[in-house]
């Protein structure tokens, strides 16, 4: 679809597209044309697949899209797997990389390279190779580092599990690197210059598909983290603004240097065990500009034990506005008004809060200055309770609420009065009044729909959401996710399309949902879409239904998964008569497909 749209845009701009080539000879002086500067603004909003389609439209589009497609120079001189020995690259990799590097150096592409990735963790999986044809990783890195000065806009460097030698460092420190991601690597500190422009630093992060995960790599558990000497060489107190490190020993080294002098840090992310470090409190006091403090929850193999933390001085952390960490410690960091709080706990795995204990903590937080400043609250709880929902109304400026819950059964109070476990959530929310300025609510739970028909689920969700929206005129969007991975996941998304007013018909709050039409294609106001896919012997069925309501638009999505084996027969799946009635999601998908086939070939089919 994106490819077709771009083709039409190109035709409007005077590009005569034919057989994949542009013919500028057919252009007339009066032909409409969009300036290249406009396309350069549009193209960065496209994803990689769409950019590839754009580059095939015409030579002009290819010239403008290629710098975006080659923005990352990624090199994996060797590979790390679950064994301890690295897997070396074949000789052909060095040859092909040299050819690829020359392409990156082209004048119209070189200015688009912004990130260099030198890591044993490939960004797109482990390629096959022959173990009998090894190449020296140093030769590959030599070519990559020597080419870095050719990229004038290079500002991000990811360097993992490779000790940096002086000749590489001399080139790196001469580059305007502002974002550095370094894992388990040593840095030459003698007779070399430190980095002077790095303002964002990621340390010992486990990469997944080229992205930070806030976890420690299992391949680096036995290797040394970034040393204190290396940290001093890559951070400048008056330049670095953001540091993220999930590894405990590296975090300890970091806190030791932060405790030495004042740093202008704005954001700091550290592991939970760092709270017991003797330099923790002193390091934070040396960061007067710190606005965001994130404490990563412990990993599953660490003991779930709380850490006592002494009270901070009231003058400490004067700029702190965002806290993410255990709810048992949030009161230690609320001397200044907090604007955003994200809380997890150690009451149950994985890092969940007990609802009663969390309610008491939030009640105490409401007695501080944060009661008039808190605008965004995120909670991870074992179960959602009425008391927990009620205490949220104490924060009058609250605009966004996100709650992740792990309960699979409703409270005993509601078990006999509801059609399905998820209905209990609607009842609790229906009896709750949130702050008057609330704009966004998201609830995630494991409550099931039991055997409730999907139409009945849509009716219940619509009735609750419209009623909730009437009682909260400022709310703009509500998301509710419920279910379990294998038995069925459901998503209800409501977005406001109309403000509350007196012109709405009487009784709309009691019955806001229109009567369902037996033919899903006949609903002109809404719509229904489905997607069927299979991967790794898992059949995935996704069905989405959109319904217009008096105050908003409801999108109901059902996602079911089923394991199937290659020897399973697929011939019967195309016949709606062979569908099992309990496979509701799949039945709806094949009903849609069968209906379209009947309309395309005529009513006589089947």
């Amino acid at each position: 679809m994106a490819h077709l749209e771009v083709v039409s845009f190109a035709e409007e701009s005077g590009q005569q597209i034919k057989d994949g080539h542009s013919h500028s000879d057919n252009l007339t002086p009066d032909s409409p044309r969009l300036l290249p500067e406009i396309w350069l603004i549009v193209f960065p909003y496209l994803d990689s697949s769409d950019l590839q389609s754009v580059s095939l439209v015409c030579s002009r589009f290819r010239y403008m899209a290629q710098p975006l497609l080659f923005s990352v120079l990624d090199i994996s001189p060797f590979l790390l797997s679950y064994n301890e020995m690295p897997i070396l690259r074949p000789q052909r990799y060095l040859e092909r990389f040299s050819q690829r590097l020359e392409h990156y150096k082209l004048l119209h592409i070189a200015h688009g390279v912004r990130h260099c990735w030198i890591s044993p963790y490939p960004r797109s999986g482990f390629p096959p190779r022959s173990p009998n044809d090894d190449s020296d990783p140093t030769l590959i890195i030599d070519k990559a580092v020597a080419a870095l000065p050719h990229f004038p806009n290079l500002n991000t460097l990811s360097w993992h599990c490779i000790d940096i030698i002086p000749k590489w460092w001399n080139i790196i420190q001469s580059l305007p690197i502002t974002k550095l991601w370094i894992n388990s690597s040593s840095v030459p500190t003698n007779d070399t210059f430190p980095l002077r422009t790095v303002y964002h630093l990621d340390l010992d992060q486990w990469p997944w598909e080229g992205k930070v995960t806030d976890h420690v790599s299992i391949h680096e558990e036995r290797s040394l983290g970034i040393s204190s000497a290396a940290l001093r060489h890559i951070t400048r107190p008056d330049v670095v603004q953001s540091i993220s490190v999930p590894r405990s020993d590296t975090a300890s080294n970091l806190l030791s240097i932060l405790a030495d002098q004042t740093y202008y840090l704005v954001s700091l992310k550290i592991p939970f065990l760092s709270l017991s470090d003797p330099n923790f409190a002193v390091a934070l006091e040396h960061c007067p500009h710190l606005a965001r403090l994130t404490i990563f929850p412990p990993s599953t193999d660490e003991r779930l034990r709380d850490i006592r933390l002494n009270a901070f001085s009231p003058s400490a952390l004067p700029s702190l506005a965002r806290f993410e960490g255990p709810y048992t410690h949030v009161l230690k960091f609320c001397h200044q008004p907090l604007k955003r709080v994200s809380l997890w706990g150690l009451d149950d795995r994985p890092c969940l809060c007990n609802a009663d204990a969390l309610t008491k903590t939030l009640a105490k937080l409401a007695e501080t200055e944060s009661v008039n400043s808190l605008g965004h609250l995120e909670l991870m709880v074992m179960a959602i309770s009425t008391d927990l929902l009620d205490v949220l109304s104490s924060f009058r400026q609250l605009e966004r609420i996100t709650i992740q819950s792990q309960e699979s059964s409703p409270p005993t109070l509601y078990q006999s009065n509801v059609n399905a476990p998820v209905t209990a959530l609607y009842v609790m929310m229906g009896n709750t009044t949130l702050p008057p300025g609330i704009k966004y609510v998201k609830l995630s739970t494991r409550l099931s729909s039991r055997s409730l028909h999907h139409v009945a689920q849509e009716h219940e969700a619509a009735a609750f959401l419209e009623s909730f929206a009437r009682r909260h005129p400022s709310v703009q969007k509500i998301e509710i996710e419920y279910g379990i991975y294998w038995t069925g996941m459901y998503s209800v998304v409501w977005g406001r399309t109309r403000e509350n007013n007196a012109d709405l018909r009487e009784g709309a709050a009691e019955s806001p949902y229109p009567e369902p039409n037996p033919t899903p294609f006949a609903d002109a106001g809404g719509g229904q879409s489905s997607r069927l896919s299979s991967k790794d012997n898992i059949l995935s069925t996704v069905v989405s239904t959109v319904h217009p309501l008096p105050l908003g638009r409801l999108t109901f999505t059902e996602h079911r998964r089923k394991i199937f084996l290659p020897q399973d027969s697929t011939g019967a799946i195309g016949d709606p008569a062979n569908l099992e009635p309990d496979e509701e999601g799949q039945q709806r998908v094949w009903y849609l497909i069968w209906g379209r086939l009947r309309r395309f070939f005529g009513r006589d089919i089947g």
Side-chain angles (χ1 to χ4, degrees):
M1 181 63 69
H3 177 63
L4 296 178
E5 292 174 354
V6 171
V7 171
S8 64
F9 291 157
E11 292 174 347
E12 293 177 1
S13 62
Q15 294 291 335
Q16 303 296 324
I17 308 301
K18 184 178 181 181
D19 299 331
H21 300 282
S22 62
H23 300 273
S24 57
D25 296 339
N26 297 329
L27 297 178
T28 64
D30 297 331
S31 299
R33 182 189 299 271
L34 288 180
L35 296 175
E37 290 81 358
I38 297 180
W39 292 118
L40 292 176
I41 295 175
V42 173
F43 286 172
Y45 289 93
L46 303 179
D47 57 26
S48 179
S49 59
D50 290 336
L51 281 173
Q52 293 177 17
S53 299
V54 166
S55 65
L56 299 176
V57 172
C58 61
S59 59
R60 176 177 295 181
F61 278 13
R62 182 177 68 251
Y63 189 85
M64 291 187 290
Q66 277 186 336
L68 298 173
L69 289 171
F70 295 91
S71 61
V72 180
L73 175 63
D74 56 329
I75 309 104
S76 295
F78 60 92
L79 305 176
L80 282 183
S81 185
Y82 288 101
N83 53 14
E84 297 182 3
M85 297 299 297
I87 303 175
L88 299 181
R89 289 288 197 175
Q91 292 288 343
R92 181 164 175 76
Y93 180 86
L94 177 59
E95 299 173 2
R96 297 188 62 180
F97 172 69
S98 300
Q99 298 172 1
R100 186 162 61 101
L101 195 58
E102 294 302 319
H103 185 76
Y104 274 88
K105 292 180 181 179
L106 295 177
L107 293 179
H108 74 287
I109 293 180
H111 74 275
V113 179
R114 301 181 181 275
H115 184 183
C116 179
W117 173 279
I118 302 179
S119 171
Y121 306 110
R123 297 171 62 244
S124 58
F126 280 48
R129 63 171 300 275
S130 171
N132 299 322
D133 185 20
D134 295 336
S135 63
D136 185 0
T138 304
L139 299 178
I140 302 174
I141 302 174
D142 280 342
K143 285 185 173 293
V145 175
L148 296 184
H150 290 83
F151 310 124
N153 295 322
L154 182 69
N155 58 18
T156 304
L157 176 63
S158 299
W159 192 287
H160 303 156
C161 307
I162 302 169
D163 292 336
I164 304 177
I165 60 178
K167 71 173 182 178
W168 298 340
W169 184 260
N170 290 333
I171 296 177
I172 293 173
Q173 64 87 24
S174 65
L175 302 173
I177 301 297
T178 58
K179 299 179 182 179
L180 178 63
W181 179 0
I182 184 169
N183 282 16
S184 302
S185 304
S186 64
V187 173
T189 56
N190 296 328
D191 301 327
T192 58
F193 294 100
L195 297 183
R196 301 182 181 276
T197 57
V198 175
Y199 70 81
H200 178 79
L201 190 61
D202 285 306
L203 302 172
D204 291 329
Q205 294 271 4
W206 184 7
W208 181 258
E209 296 182 350
K211 299 178 181 179
V212 170
T213 60
D214 295 335
H215 293 283
V216 182
S217 173
I218 59 175
H219 308 303
E220 302 174 31
E221 292 177 346
R222 298 185 180 181
S223 61
L224 297 177
I226 308 300
S227 64
S228 300
L231 289 173
R232 288 189 174 90
H233 218 54
I234 61 180
T235 59
R236 285 192 59 175
D238 57 337
V239 176
V240 64
Q241 298 181 9
S242 175
I243 300 179
S244 176
V245 49
R247 182 165 173 163
S248 299
D249 54 351
T250 303
S252 179
N253 296 334
L254 174 65
L255 294 176
S256 67
I257 69 168
L258 293 180
D260 289 343
Q261 57 181 313
T262 301
Y263 276 74
Y264 287 82
L265 270 180
V266 177
S267 174
L268 178 62
K269 301 180 180 181
I270 53 177
F272 175 67
L273 292 181
S274 296
L275 298 182
S276 60
D277 192 281
N279 292 315
F280 175 73
V282 179
L284 293 187
E285 292 175 356
H286 281 79
C287 300
H289 300 277
L290 192 66
R292 177 181 181 180
L293 176 62
T294 299
I295 301 174
F296 296 130
S299 60
T300 55
D301 57 345
E302 293 176 343
R303 293 180 58 187
L304 293 180
R305 59 180 181 86
D306 205 350
I307 297 177
R308 290 183 175 272
L309 189 63
N310 296 327
F312 286 90
S313 170
S315 60
L317 300 176
S319 303
L320 189 65
R322 181 173 179 178
F323 175 80
E324 303 173 28
Y327 77 96
T328 52
H329 293 72
V330 64
L331 298 178
K332 302 288 181 63
F333 297 94
C334 61
H335 296 300
Q336 302 297 330
L338 297 176
K339 297 181 180 179
R340 181 168 180 172
V341 172
S342 178
L343 301 177
W344 50 265
L346 299 176
D347 299 322
D348 196 4
R349 297 177 184 268
C351 304
L352 301 176
C353 306
N354 177 276
D356 295 335
L358 177 61
T359 301
K360 296 178 181 179
T361 300
L362 291 178
K364 294 180 180 179
L365 184 63
E367 298 174 357
T368 66
E369 296 182 5
S370 298
V371 69
N372 296 319
S373 62
L374 188 62
H376 191 165
L377 182 62
E378 299 179 8
L379 306 174
M380 296 179 61
V381 298
M382 298 164 56
I384 300 176
S385 66
T386 303
D387 293 339
L388 177 61
L389 295 175
D390 290 340
V391 77
L392 300 180
S393 60
S394 303
F395 302 94
R396 309 302 294 174
Q397 303 300 320
L398 199 59
E399 295 183 351
R400 297 175 64 90
I401 298 175
T402 302
I403 303 179
Q404 298 183 36
S405 174
Q406 291 293 315
E407 82 271 35
S408 56
S409 60
T412 307
L413 178 64
Y414 301 99
Q415 287 183 359
S416 59
N417 300 324
V418 296
N419 299 325
V422 69
T423 310
L425 180 62
Y426 298 152
V427 175
M428 283 193 295
M429 291 294 295
N431 297 329
T432 301
T433 300
L434 296 180
I438 193 69
K439 295 181 180 179
Y440 173 79
V441 178
K442 181 177 181 180
L443 305 177
S444 300
T445 177
R446 291 168 57 88
L447 293 175
S448 66
S449 60
R450 202 172 288 165
S451 58
L452 199 62
H453 193 270
H454 68 88
V455 175
Q457 295 183 55
E458 293 173 352
H459 269 273
E460 286 193 345
F464 157 69
L465 293 171
E466 288 286 299
S467 175
F468 186 87
R470 288 180 179 276
R471 293 187 294 108
H472 300 83
S474 62
V475 69
Q476 299 297 317
K477 187 176 182 180
I478 305 173
E479 297 183 38
I480 300 177
E481 299 174 351
Y482 60 94
I484 302 176
Y485 186 88
W486 287 114
T487 60
M489 298 286 295
Y490 300 88
S491 172
V492 179
V493 179
W494 179 92
R496 183 181 291 276
T497 58
R498 186 177 180 182
E499 299 298 327
N500 293 357
N501 56 63
D503 296 333
L504 294 177
R505 59 184 175 86
E506 294 294 333
E510 288 75 16
S511 181
Y513 188 77
E515 289 299 322
N517 195 309
T519 305
F521 304 106
D523 186 4
Q528 190 162 5
S529 63
S530 61
R531 184 173 72 252
L532 187 68
S533 63
S534 61
K535 183 179 180 181
D536 298 331
N537 294 334
I538 298 177
L539 182 66
S540 179
T541 306
V542 181
V543 181
S544 294
T545 309
V546 180
H547 296 283
L549 301 177
L551 293 179
R553 181 178 294 271
L554 172 68
T555 302
F556 183 87
T557 303
E558 180 182 10
H559 191 176
R560 288 185 176 272
R561 298 172 179 87
K562 179 182 178 181
I563 297 178
F564 70 95
L565 301 177
Q567 62 268 23
D568 291 344
S569 174
T570 58
I573 198 170
D575 187 358
N578 294 331
L579 291 172
E580 298 181 10
D582 59 335
E583 297 178 351
E584 188 61 43
Q586 298 180 29
Q587 186 175 6
R588 295 169 66 192
V589 171
W590 290 110
Y591 178 79
L592 293 174
I593 297 175
W594 194 252
R596 291 186 181 274
L597 290 175
R598 286 173 60 88
R599 291 198 300 170
F600 183 78
F601 291 104
R603 296 290 180 178
D604 295 335
I605 187 173

